[in-house]
Amino acid sequence: MDIVMDADALNAFLASEFPQVADSYCVDRVDAEELSARLTVGEAHLRPGGTISGPSMFALADLAIYCAILSRIGPVALAVTTNAAIDFMRKPAAGRDLVARCRLLKLGRGLAVADALIFSDGTEEAVARCSMTYSIPPKRRDSGQLDAGI
Amino acid sequence: MDIVMDADALNAFLASEFPQVADSYCVDRVDAEELSARLTVGEAHLRPGGTISGPSMFALADLAIYCAILSRIGPVALAVTTNAAIDFMRKPAAGRDLVARCRLLKLGRGLAVADALIFSDGTEEAVARCSMTYSIPPKRRDSGQLDAGI
Amino acid sequence: MDIVMDADALNAFLASEFPQVADSYCVDRVDAEELSARLTVGEAHLRPGGTISGPSMFALADLAIYCAILSRIGPVALAVTTNAAIDFMRKPAAGRDLVARCRLLKLGRGLAVADALIFSDGTEEAVARCSMTYSIPPKRRDSGQLDAGI
Amino acid sequence: MDIVMDADALNAFLASEFPQVADSYCVDRVDAEELSARLTVGEAHLRPGGTISGPSMFALADLAIYCAILSRIGPVALAVTTNAAIDFMRKPAAGRDLVARCRLLKLGRGLAVADALIFSDGTEEAVARCSMTYSIPPKRRDSGQLDAGI
């Protein structure tokens, strides 16, 4: 399926529709195989011991998967997360951003499924894996409201 | 298993160890059957259309389950979320807090499993369900650091 | 929502449509709160050490949840499992049937969500928990084919 | 980590320890990146409409992930599935075997995490995805019993 929104278009969309998220999260790259998104880790994402909070990792995976879907169907769709399964496997490395690498496994008329691996930037062993299902309602021409799970 | 930390003790622990969380999240009640925790919904938790963000709901379930474990084993344990599965089922009602009702299904030496239903306060149909596994490392006498998944 | 198929009707339906399953699995009871289903454990479900195989437990949860949905919408619907999350928490007791107790959490037009606890019959601590999503396609008047995930 | 059991060794192990499974399931290939396992689809795995049952797909993923772990730690370990999350995405193609391609994401002292994509043999779009956690108890010298989740 063709890429209809590239990384710049996705980041512009996030800045416009999710300004509270766009400060910390961005899309680095998207192609036919994979979308890569980044969490610029700040104080708000840390927990005692210097680890990164589970909800921050969840949010990164959710954003990456949401953007992977939009990259194929464009910004007009209402899409909501209906299911997520996440494994936290390792403690993130201190002082590094988190990078999610997401692949779209199914893009049906009603449901999309994708998974993502999350890495401490520059390292090779994933700190978390996540799979999610999004529900994609039928397109409505006049739809102005966006209702993402992120 | 006996309750060794009640709601007040759990809230004092959260305020001390997770000050960035304790403003919005608290434990309402804990007994042998169930722990109830609350997210006081603010602007930071909302998304376009007035819905509550997925990560905010994830964080509420995570906190409820973490506190349900601590209510039985006390504040000395290192405990980290290793797995979570969550279903987002309905849009939360506008203008209401979220309440998670959590039950502990297993508390083993190494792993604990619990699930939670999340409701818009005062309503009867759950907006989300979540199950999580926590890894509980062996107790260490000198352990001062807490490393929750929240 | 009203119960439109009771336990007898569900078992007759299973015997007719899923004869390869109906020997081992049956519905014990269904009411507005809960559906209870049973796996009569035989050699085919056992593994070395006398434990019950994971797929057998998965199948029990799947059947219980499928029947809980049918109990509300009747036998005409095509319904397929789209997602399952399962936690295996304890080794089942030797020489006992397994019983799944299932509650329907959402029954929407397109998706249904339910969860189940699985017990060794007569014991109080769940051996497994499971949540599943079913996709329920629009009703078709001429639909004669059933396509369950079980 | 080195491969200590190749496909032949894994299949011999399955035939010896899980004879009820070894008729239908086998390991095709294992290397440092991936393990590939196969379900030779027979009548017992089919459901009305010619689809393959959910438990059969679950069993294939479970076997692939179990063997991926054993390929690194050898046949002496007791290992049990503690968690599984599975998405059923497409109807399998009629008349084809199922092939699971599994990658090991974490192999810790106590927990292993892996995921798998399941394909109708010879096709390119996955029919299902699955992730699982296995608990790996400490090695015991005299351990003769195997207690897999499969």
Side-chain angles (χ1 to χ4, degrees), chain C residues 38-71:
Chain C
R38 175 180 302 267
L39 167 61
T40 304
V41 176
E43 284 297 318
H45 312 110
L46 297 180
R47 287 293 175 270
T51 196
I52 296 171
S53 79
S56 298
M57 287 195 262
F58 178 93
L60 175 61
D62 198 13
L63 179 134
I65 289 169
Y66 178 60
C67 287
I69 296 168
L70 295 196
S71 74

PDB file of all heavy atoms in Angstrom, chain C residues 38-71:
ATOM      1  N   ARG C  38     -17.298 -26.158  30.615  1.00  0.00           N
ATOM      2  CA  ARG C  38     -16.512 -27.228  31.215  1.00  0.00           C
ATOM      3  C   ARG C  38     -15.718 -27.992  30.157  1.00  0.00           C
ATOM      4  O   ARG C  38     -16.226 -28.279  29.069  1.00  0.00           O
ATOM      5  CB  ARG C  38     -17.467 -28.205  31.899  1.00  0.00           C
ATOM      6  CG  ARG C  38     -16.824 -29.484  32.488  1.00  0.00           C
ATOM      7  CD  ARG C  38     -17.872 -30.359  33.130  1.00  0.00           C
ATOM      8  NE  ARG C  38     -18.565 -29.625  34.174  1.00  0.00           N
ATOM      9  CZ  ARG C  38     -18.216 -29.650  35.460  1.00  0.00           C
ATOM     10  NH1 ARG C  38     -17.208 -30.410  35.865  1.00  0.00           N
ATOM     11  NH2 ARG C  38     -18.872 -28.940  36.346  1.00  0.00           N
ATOM     12  N   LEU C  39     -14.483 -28.292  30.493  1.00  0.00           N
ATOM     13  CA  LEU C  39     -13.679 -29.237  29.727  1.00  0.00           C
ATOM     14  C   LEU C  39     -13.582 -30.531  30.522  1.00  0.00           C
ATOM     15  O   LEU C  39     -13.017 -30.550  31.630  1.00  0.00           O
ATOM     16  CB  LEU C  39     -12.273 -28.682  29.475  1.00  0.00           C
ATOM     17  CG  LEU C  39     -11.227 -29.682  28.964  1.00  0.00           C
ATOM     18  CD1 LEU C  39     -11.635 -30.277  27.614  1.00  0.00           C
ATOM     19  CD2 LEU C  39      -9.859 -29.011  28.846  1.00  0.00           C
ATOM     20  N   THR C  40     -14.167 -31.598  29.969  1.00  0.00           N
ATOM     21  CA  THR C  40     -14.003 -32.916  30.573  1.00  0.00           C
ATOM     22  C   THR C  40     -12.634 -33.430  30.141  1.00  0.00           C
ATOM     23  O   THR C  40     -12.411 -33.782  28.991  1.00  0.00           O
ATOM     24  CB  THR C  40     -15.122 -33.864  30.095  1.00  0.00           C
ATOM     25  OG1 THR C  40     -16.387 -33.264  30.407  1.00  0.00           O
ATOM     26  CG2 THR C  40     -15.019 -35.214  30.777  1.00  0.00           C
ATOM     27  N   VAL C  41     -11.709 -33.407  31.077  1.00  0.00           N
ATOM     28  CA  VAL C  41     -10.303 -33.654  30.740  1.00  0.00           C
ATOM     29  C   VAL C  41     -10.077 -35.126  30.420  1.00  0.00           C
ATOM     30  O   VAL C  41     -10.463 -36.012  31.194  1.00  0.00           O
ATOM     31  CB  VAL C  41      -9.397 -33.212  31.906  1.00  0.00           C
ATOM     32  CG1 VAL C  41      -7.944 -33.544  31.604  1.00  0.00           C
ATOM     33  CG2 VAL C  41      -9.562 -31.718  32.166  1.00  0.00           C
ATOM     34  N   GLY C  42      -9.497 -35.380  29.261  1.00  0.00           N
ATOM     35  CA  GLY C  42      -9.127 -36.731  28.862  1.00  0.00           C
ATOM     36  C   GLY C  42      -7.650 -36.797  28.500  1.00  0.00           C
ATOM     37  O   GLY C  42      -6.923 -35.797  28.588  1.00  0.00           O
ATOM     38  N   GLU C  43      -7.213 -37.977  28.108  1.00  0.00           N
ATOM     39  CA  GLU C  43      -5.797 -38.183  27.776  1.00  0.00           C
ATOM     40  C   GLU C  43      -5.284 -37.158  26.765  1.00  0.00           C
ATOM     41  O   GLU C  43      -4.148 -36.689  26.837  1.00  0.00           O
ATOM     42  CB  GLU C  43      -5.596 -39.587  27.208  1.00  0.00           C
ATOM     43  CG  GLU C  43      -5.613 -40.684  28.254  1.00  0.00           C
ATOM     44  CD  GLU C  43      -4.467 -40.526  29.245  1.00  0.00           C
ATOM     45  OE1 GLU C  43      -3.338 -40.217  28.803  1.00  0.00           O
ATOM     46  OE2 GLU C  43      -4.701 -40.688  30.452  1.00  0.00           O
ATOM     47  N   ALA C  44      -6.148 -36.838  25.796  1.00  0.00           N
ATOM     48  CA  ALA C  44      -5.708 -35.961  24.712  1.00  0.00           C
ATOM     49  C   ALA C  44      -5.341 -34.567  25.204  1.00  0.00           C
ATOM     50  O   ALA C  44      -4.629 -33.835  24.509  1.00  0.00           O
ATOM     51  CB  ALA C  44      -6.807 -35.853  23.645  1.00  0.00           C
ATOM     52  N   HIS C  45      -5.826 -34.181  26.384  1.00  0.00           N
ATOM     53  CA  HIS C  45      -5.563 -32.828  26.882  1.00  0.00           C
ATOM     54  C   HIS C  45      -4.365 -32.765  27.817  1.00  0.00           C
ATOM     55  O   HIS C  45      -3.986 -31.677  28.250  1.00  0.00           O
ATOM     56  CB  HIS C  45      -6.800 -32.302  27.613  1.00  0.00           C
ATOM     57  CG  HIS C  45      -8.079 -32.491  26.857  1.00  0.00           C
ATOM     58  ND1 HIS C  45      -9.046 -33.385  27.234  1.00  0.00           N
ATOM     59  CD2 HIS C  45      -8.511 -31.934  25.702  1.00  0.00           C
ATOM     60  CE1 HIS C  45     -10.050 -33.356  26.364  1.00  0.00           C
ATOM     61  NE2 HIS C  45      -9.755 -32.491  25.429  1.00  0.00           N
ATOM     62  N   LEU C  46      -3.795 -33.910  28.140  1.00  0.00           N
ATOM     63  CA  LEU C  46      -2.713 -33.948  29.131  1.00  0.00           C
ATOM     64  C   LEU C  46      -1.340 -33.806  28.477  1.00  0.00           C
ATOM     65  O   LEU C  46      -1.144 -34.094  27.304  1.00  0.00           O
ATOM     66  CB  LEU C  46      -2.784 -35.243  29.943  1.00  0.00           C
ATOM     67  CG  LEU C  46      -4.062 -35.418  30.778  1.00  0.00           C
ATOM     68  CD1 LEU C  46      -4.022 -36.735  31.545  1.00  0.00           C
ATOM     69  CD2 LEU C  46      -4.243 -34.248  31.727  1.00  0.00           C
ATOM     70  N   ARG C  47      -0.396 -33.401  29.293  1.00  0.00           N
ATOM     71  CA  ARG C  47       1.004 -33.290  28.890  1.00  0.00           C
ATOM     72  C   ARG C  47       1.846 -33.983  29.950  1.00  0.00           C
ATOM     73  O   ARG C  47       1.338 -34.312  31.032  1.00  0.00           O
ATOM     74  CB  ARG C  47       1.406 -31.804  28.785  1.00  0.00           C
ATOM     75  CG  ARG C  47       0.836 -31.096  27.581  1.00  0.00           C
ATOM     76  CD  ARG C  47       1.419 -31.634  26.278  1.00  0.00           C
ATOM     77  NE  ARG C  47       0.787 -31.042  25.111  1.00  0.00           N
ATOM     78  CZ  ARG C  47      -0.282 -31.532  24.505  1.00  0.00           C
ATOM     79  NH1 ARG C  47      -0.873 -32.622  24.962  1.00  0.00           N
ATOM     80  NH2 ARG C  47      -0.756 -30.953  23.424  1.00  0.00           N
ATOM     81  N   PRO C  48       3.125 -34.199  29.640  1.00  0.00           N
ATOM     82  CA  PRO C  48       4.004 -34.844  30.622  1.00  0.00           C
ATOM     83  C   PRO C  48       3.930 -34.138  31.969  1.00  0.00           C
ATOM     84  O   PRO C  48       3.884 -32.910  32.038  1.00  0.00           O
ATOM     85  CB  PRO C  48       5.401 -34.687  30.000  1.00  0.00           C
ATOM     86  CG  PRO C  48       5.153 -34.611  28.538  1.00  0.00           C
ATOM     87  CD  PRO C  48       3.832 -33.910  28.382  1.00  0.00           C
ATOM     88  N   GLY C  49       3.890 -34.911  33.019  1.00  0.00           N
ATOM     89  CA  GLY C  49       3.740 -34.362  34.359  1.00  0.00           C
ATOM     90  C   GLY C  49       2.300 -34.240  34.791  1.00  0.00           C
ATOM     91  O   GLY C  49       2.011 -33.798  35.902  1.00  0.00           O
ATOM     92  N   GLY C  50       1.369 -34.579  33.876  1.00  0.00           N
ATOM     93  CA  GLY C  50      -0.037 -34.576  34.247  1.00  0.00           C
ATOM     94  C   GLY C  50      -0.718 -33.229  34.137  1.00  0.00           C
ATOM     95  O   GLY C  50      -1.867 -33.069  34.536  1.00  0.00           O
ATOM     96  N   THR C  51      -0.030 -32.237  33.577  1.00  0.00           N
ATOM     97  CA  THR C  51      -0.661 -30.939  33.429  1.00  0.00           C
ATOM     98  C   THR C  51      -1.553 -30.936  32.187  1.00  0.00           C
ATOM     99  O   THR C  51      -1.479 -31.834  31.347  1.00  0.00           O
ATOM    100  CB  THR C  51       0.376 -29.816  33.369  1.00  0.00           C
ATOM    101  OG1 THR C  51      -0.280 -28.571  33.597  1.00  0.00           O
ATOM    102  CG2 THR C  51       1.090 -29.781  32.038  1.00  0.00           C
ATOM    103  N   ILE C  52      -2.384 -29.933  32.088  1.00  0.00           N
ATOM    104  CA  ILE C  52      -3.300 -29.812  30.956  1.00  0.00           C
ATOM    105  C   ILE C  52      -2.689 -28.854  29.949  1.00  0.00           C
ATOM    106  O   ILE C  52      -2.155 -27.808  30.319  1.00  0.00           O
ATOM    107  CB  ILE C  52      -4.679 -29.327  31.444  1.00  0.00           C
ATOM    108  CG1 ILE C  52      -5.285 -30.387  32.380  1.00  0.00           C
ATOM    109  CG2 ILE C  52      -5.610 -29.061  30.265  1.00  0.00           C
ATOM    110  CD1 ILE C  52      -6.543 -29.947  33.092  1.00  0.00           C
ATOM    111  N   SER C  53      -2.766 -29.217  28.685  1.00  0.00           N
ATOM    112  CA  SER C  53      -2.063 -28.441  27.664  1.00  0.00           C
ATOM    113  C   SER C  53      -2.629 -27.029  27.555  1.00  0.00           C
ATOM    114  O   SER C  53      -3.833 -26.800  27.723  1.00  0.00           O
ATOM    115  CB  SER C  53      -2.171 -29.131  26.310  1.00  0.00           C
ATOM    116  OG  SER C  53      -3.413 -28.899  25.695  1.00  0.00           O
ATOM    117  N   GLY C  54      -1.736 -26.107  27.219  1.00  0.00           N
ATOM    118  CA  GLY C  54      -2.146 -24.727  26.999  1.00  0.00           C
ATOM    119  C   GLY C  54      -3.230 -24.593  25.944  1.00  0.00           C
ATOM    120  O   GLY C  54      -4.230 -23.901  26.169  1.00  0.00           O
ATOM    121  N   PRO C  55      -3.087 -25.250  24.788  1.00  0.00           N
ATOM    122  CA  PRO C  55      -4.146 -25.135  23.781  1.00  0.00           C
ATOM    123  C   PRO C  55      -5.513 -25.626  24.272  1.00  0.00           C
ATOM    124  O   PRO C  55      -6.544 -25.085  23.867  1.00  0.00           O
ATOM    125  CB  PRO C  55      -3.620 -25.999  22.624  1.00  0.00           C
ATOM    126  CG  PRO C  55      -2.135 -25.904  22.753  1.00  0.00           C
ATOM    127  CD  PRO C  55      -1.880 -25.873  24.234  1.00  0.00           C
ATOM    128  N   SER C  56      -5.524 -26.631  25.144  1.00  0.00           N
ATOM    129  CA  SER C  56      -6.808 -27.089  25.678  1.00  0.00           C
ATOM    130  C   SER C  56      -7.461 -26.021  26.545  1.00  0.00           C
ATOM    131  O   SER C  56      -8.682 -25.845  26.524  1.00  0.00           O
ATOM    132  CB  SER C  56      -6.621 -28.365  26.506  1.00  0.00           C
ATOM    133  OG  SER C  56      -6.122 -29.412  25.711  1.00  0.00           O
ATOM    134  N   MET C  57      -6.632 -25.302  27.304  1.00  0.00           N
ATOM    135  CA  MET C  57      -7.183 -24.224  28.132  1.00  0.00           C
ATOM    136  C   MET C  57      -7.623 -23.049  27.260  1.00  0.00           C
ATOM    137  O   MET C  57      -8.679 -22.443  27.487  1.00  0.00           O
ATOM    138  CB  MET C  57      -6.154 -23.785  29.172  1.00  0.00           C
ATOM    139  CG  MET C  57      -5.992 -24.831  30.283  1.00  0.00           C
ATOM    140  SD  MET C  57      -5.124 -24.187  31.737  1.00  0.00           S
ATOM    141  CE  MET C  57      -3.481 -24.802  31.392  1.00  0.00           C
ATOM    142  N   PHE C  58      -6.811 -22.760  26.267  1.00  0.00           N
ATOM    143  CA  PHE C  58      -7.187 -21.716  25.308  1.00  0.00           C
ATOM    144  C   PHE C  58      -8.528 -22.057  24.664  1.00  0.00           C
ATOM    145  O   PHE C  58      -9.421 -21.205  24.543  1.00  0.00           O
ATOM    146  CB  PHE C  58      -6.095 -21.597  24.242  1.00  0.00           C
ATOM    147  CG  PHE C  58      -6.387 -20.592  23.171  1.00  0.00           C
ATOM    148  CD1 PHE C  58      -5.932 -19.289  23.284  1.00  0.00           C
ATOM    149  CD2 PHE C  58      -7.124 -20.942  22.048  1.00  0.00           C
ATOM    150  CE1 PHE C  58      -6.204 -18.351  22.296  1.00  0.00           C
ATOM    151  CE2 PHE C  58      -7.403 -20.009  21.058  1.00  0.00           C
ATOM    152  CZ  PHE C  58      -6.940 -18.715  21.188  1.00  0.00           C
ATOM    153  N   ALA C  59      -8.688 -23.313  24.254  1.00  0.00           N
ATOM    154  CA  ALA C  59      -9.928 -23.733  23.592  1.00  0.00           C
ATOM    155  C   ALA C  59     -11.129 -23.604  24.517  1.00  0.00           C
ATOM    156  O   ALA C  59     -12.224 -23.220  24.082  1.00  0.00           O
ATOM    157  CB  ALA C  59      -9.790 -25.177  23.089  1.00  0.00           C
ATOM    158  N   LEU C  60     -10.929 -23.910  25.796  1.00  0.00           N
ATOM    159  CA  LEU C  60     -12.038 -23.783  26.750  1.00  0.00           C
ATOM    160  C   LEU C  60     -12.460 -22.324  26.899  1.00  0.00           C
ATOM    161  O   LEU C  60     -13.662 -22.002  26.881  1.00  0.00           O
ATOM    162  CB  LEU C  60     -11.629 -24.362  28.106  1.00  0.00           C
ATOM    163  CG  LEU C  60     -12.643 -24.190  29.237  1.00  0.00           C
ATOM    164  CD1 LEU C  60     -13.966 -24.883  28.910  1.00  0.00           C
ATOM    165  CD2 LEU C  60     -12.079 -24.713  30.553  1.00  0.00           C
ATOM    166  N   ALA C  61     -11.484 -21.448  27.053  1.00  0.00           N
ATOM    167  CA  ALA C  61     -11.813 -20.023  27.181  1.00  0.00           C
ATOM    168  C   ALA C  61     -12.495 -19.520  25.914  1.00  0.00           C
ATOM    169  O   ALA C  61     -13.476 -18.765  25.969  1.00  0.00           O
ATOM    170  CB  ALA C  61     -10.549 -19.214  27.466  1.00  0.00           C
ATOM    171  N   ASP C  62     -11.996 -19.948  24.783  1.00  0.00           N
ATOM    172  CA  ASP C  62     -12.547 -19.496  23.502  1.00  0.00           C
ATOM    173  C   ASP C  62     -13.999 -19.949  23.354  1.00  0.00           C
ATOM    174  O   ASP C  62     -14.884 -19.166  22.974  1.00  0.00           O
ATOM    175  CB  ASP C  62     -11.685 -20.063  22.367  1.00  0.00           C
ATOM    176  CG  ASP C  62     -11.885 -19.338  21.046  1.00  0.00           C
ATOM    177  OD1 ASP C  62     -12.492 -18.257  21.032  1.00  0.00           O
ATOM    178  OD2 ASP C  62     -11.418 -19.869  20.024  1.00  0.00           O
ATOM    179  N   LEU C  63     -14.243 -21.192  23.690  1.00  0.00           N
ATOM    180  CA  LEU C  63     -15.608 -21.715  23.600  1.00  0.00           C
ATOM    181  C   LEU C  63     -16.537 -20.991  24.576  1.00  0.00           C
ATOM    182  O   LEU C  63     -17.681 -20.647  24.233  1.00  0.00           O
ATOM    183  CB  LEU C  63     -15.611 -23.215  23.879  1.00  0.00           C
ATOM    184  CG  LEU C  63     -16.980 -23.887  23.844  1.00  0.00           C
ATOM    185  CD1 LEU C  63     -16.931 -25.175  23.047  1.00  0.00           C
ATOM    186  CD2 LEU C  63     -17.481 -24.146  25.260  1.00  0.00           C
ATOM    187  N   ALA C  64     -16.079 -20.753  25.788  1.00  0.00           N
ATOM    188  CA  ALA C  64     -16.928 -20.077  26.778  1.00  0.00           C
ATOM    189  C   ALA C  64     -17.296 -18.675  26.299  1.00  0.00           C
ATOM    190  O   ALA C  64     -18.450 -18.242  26.398  1.00  0.00           O
ATOM    191  CB  ALA C  64     -16.218 -20.019  28.130  1.00  0.00           C
ATOM    192  N   ILE C  65     -16.314 -17.976  25.767  1.00  0.00           N
ATOM    193  CA  ILE C  65     -16.553 -16.600  25.336  1.00  0.00           C
ATOM    194  C   ILE C  65     -17.433 -16.578  24.085  1.00  0.00           C
ATOM    195  O   ILE C  65     -18.356 -15.763  23.969  1.00  0.00           O
ATOM    196  CB  ILE C  65     -15.199 -15.875  25.125  1.00  0.00           C
ATOM    197  CG1 ILE C  65     -14.541 -15.638  26.496  1.00  0.00           C
ATOM    198  CG2 ILE C  65     -15.378 -14.585  24.345  1.00  0.00           C
ATOM    199  CD1 ILE C  65     -13.097 -15.187  26.440  1.00  0.00           C
ATOM    200  N   TYR C  66     -17.165 -17.487  23.176  1.00  0.00           N
ATOM    201  CA  TYR C  66     -18.005 -17.592  21.970  1.00  0.00           C
ATOM    202  C   TYR C  66     -19.455 -17.858  22.361  1.00  0.00           C
ATOM    203  O   TYR C  66     -20.381 -17.192  21.868  1.00  0.00           O
ATOM    204  CB  TYR C  66     -17.443 -18.711  21.092  1.00  0.00           C
ATOM    205  CG  TYR C  66     -18.209 -18.992  19.824  1.00  0.00           C
ATOM    206  CD1 TYR C  66     -18.386 -18.016  18.858  1.00  0.00           C
ATOM    207  CD2 TYR C  66     -18.727 -20.261  19.584  1.00  0.00           C
ATOM    208  CE1 TYR C  66     -19.074 -18.289  17.679  1.00  0.00           C
ATOM    209  CE2 TYR C  66     -19.406 -20.547  18.417  1.00  0.00           C
ATOM    210  CZ  TYR C  66     -19.587 -19.563  17.470  1.00  0.00           C
ATOM    211  OH  TYR C  66     -20.264 -19.837  16.312  1.00  0.00           O
ATOM    212  N   CYS C  67     -19.676 -18.804  23.270  1.00  0.00           N
ATOM    213  CA  CYS C  67     -21.046 -19.134  23.689  1.00  0.00           C
ATOM    214  C   CYS C  67     -21.688 -17.990  24.471  1.00  0.00           C
ATOM    215  O   CYS C  67     -22.902 -17.764  24.359  1.00  0.00           O
ATOM    216  CB  CYS C  67     -21.059 -20.427  24.499  1.00  0.00           C
ATOM    217  SG  CYS C  67     -20.793 -21.897  23.469  1.00  0.00           S
ATOM    218  N   ALA C  68     -20.898 -17.251  25.240  1.00  0.00           N
ATOM    219  CA  ALA C  68     -21.467 -16.097  25.955  1.00  0.00           C
ATOM    220  C   ALA C  68     -22.005 -15.069  24.960  1.00  0.00           C
ATOM    221  O   ALA C  68     -23.049 -14.442  25.191  1.00  0.00           O
ATOM    222  CB  ALA C  68     -20.410 -15.469  26.867  1.00  0.00           C
ATOM    223  N   ILE C  69     -21.303 -14.905  23.850  1.00  0.00           N
ATOM    224  CA  ILE C  69     -21.783 -13.975  22.820  1.00  0.00           C
ATOM    225  C   ILE C  69     -23.049 -14.526  22.161  1.00  0.00           C
ATOM    226  O   ILE C  69     -24.059 -13.830  22.038  1.00  0.00           O
ATOM    227  CB  ILE C  69     -20.673 -13.709  21.779  1.00  0.00           C
ATOM    228  CG1 ILE C  69     -19.480 -13.013  22.458  1.00  0.00           C
ATOM    229  CG2 ILE C  69     -21.206 -12.880  20.614  1.00  0.00           C
ATOM    230  CD1 ILE C  69     -18.230 -12.956  21.600  1.00  0.00           C
ATOM    231  N   LEU C  70     -22.998 -15.787  21.753  1.00  0.00           N
ATOM    232  CA  LEU C  70     -24.170 -16.382  21.104  1.00  0.00           C
ATOM    233  C   LEU C  70     -25.385 -16.380  22.019  1.00  0.00           C
ATOM    234  O   LEU C  70     -26.522 -16.269  21.554  1.00  0.00           O
ATOM    235  CB  LEU C  70     -23.875 -17.814  20.659  1.00  0.00           C
ATOM    236  CG  LEU C  70     -22.828 -18.025  19.584  1.00  0.00           C
ATOM    237  CD1 LEU C  70     -22.947 -19.425  19.003  1.00  0.00           C
ATOM    238  CD2 LEU C  70     -22.905 -16.993  18.481  1.00  0.00           C
ATOM    239  N   SER C  71     -25.161 -16.513  23.323  1.00  0.00           N
ATOM    240  CA  SER C  71     -26.294 -16.530  24.256  1.00  0.00           C
ATOM    241  C   SER C  71     -27.094 -15.230  24.176  1.00  0.00           C
ATOM    242  O   SER C  71     -28.264 -15.204  24.531  1.00  0.00           O
ATOM    243  CB  SER C  71     -25.809 -16.765  25.691  1.00  0.00           C
ATOM    244  OG  SER C  71     -25.187 -15.613  26.223  1.00  0.00           O
TER     245      SER C  71
END
